[in-house]
């Protein structure tokens, strides 16, 4: 069985979501950290739901944004 890691960047108010796939957790984590940092720089965050090592989920007054790492076995 092989393991891959997906970084999902999900937007509540858009029909567009980003999905990136990696063979290494370290590569996935680098992208996760970059996206998390860019979300945190947005001053419009109303509330933070989750802020863990592999899941970051925030609310805005007009929607939400989430980035997380998923481990997938194939």
């Amino acid at each position: 069985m092989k393991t891959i890691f997906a970084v999902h960047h999900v937007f509540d108010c858009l029909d567009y979501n980003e999905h990136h796939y990696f063979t290494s957790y370290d590569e996935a984590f680098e992208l996760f950290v970059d996206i998390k940092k860019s979300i945190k720089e947005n001053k419009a965050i109303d509330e933070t739901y989750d802020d863990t090592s592999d899941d970051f989920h925030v609310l805005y007054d007009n929607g939400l944004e989430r980035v997380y790492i998923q481990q997938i076995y194939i």
Side-chain angles (χ1 to χ4, degrees):
M1 186 178 302
K2 184 176 180 178
T3 304
I4 62 172
F5 300 91
V7 176
H8 301 291
H9 189 189
V10 181
F11 307 89
D12 178 49
C13 56
L14 300 173
D15 289 334
Y16 172 77
N17 296 306
E18 298 174 349
H19 308 280
H20 306 273
Y21 300 92
F22 301 91
T23 56
S24 125
Y25 181 84
D26 292 339
E27 290 176 313
F29 187 73
E30 279 184 48
L31 180 62
F32 170 81
V33 169
D34 288 344
I35 295 172
K36 181 178 174 177
K37 181 180 175 187
S38 71
I39 294 171
K40 282 186 166 186
E41 290 172 353
N42 185 343
K43 303 295 184 209
I45 294 174
D46 289 334
E47 184 178 344
T48 300
Y49 267 1
D50 291 309
D51 189 359
T52 65
S53 63
D54 62 357
D55 192 357
F56 187 64
H57 185 179
V58 297
L59 282 180
Y60 302 108
D61 61 347
N62 62 346
L64 63 86
E65 189 169 0
R66 181 180 182 202
V67 61
Y68 61 99
I69 300 174
Q70 178 187 24
Q71 189 172 1
I72 302 170
Y73 300 102
I74 54 175

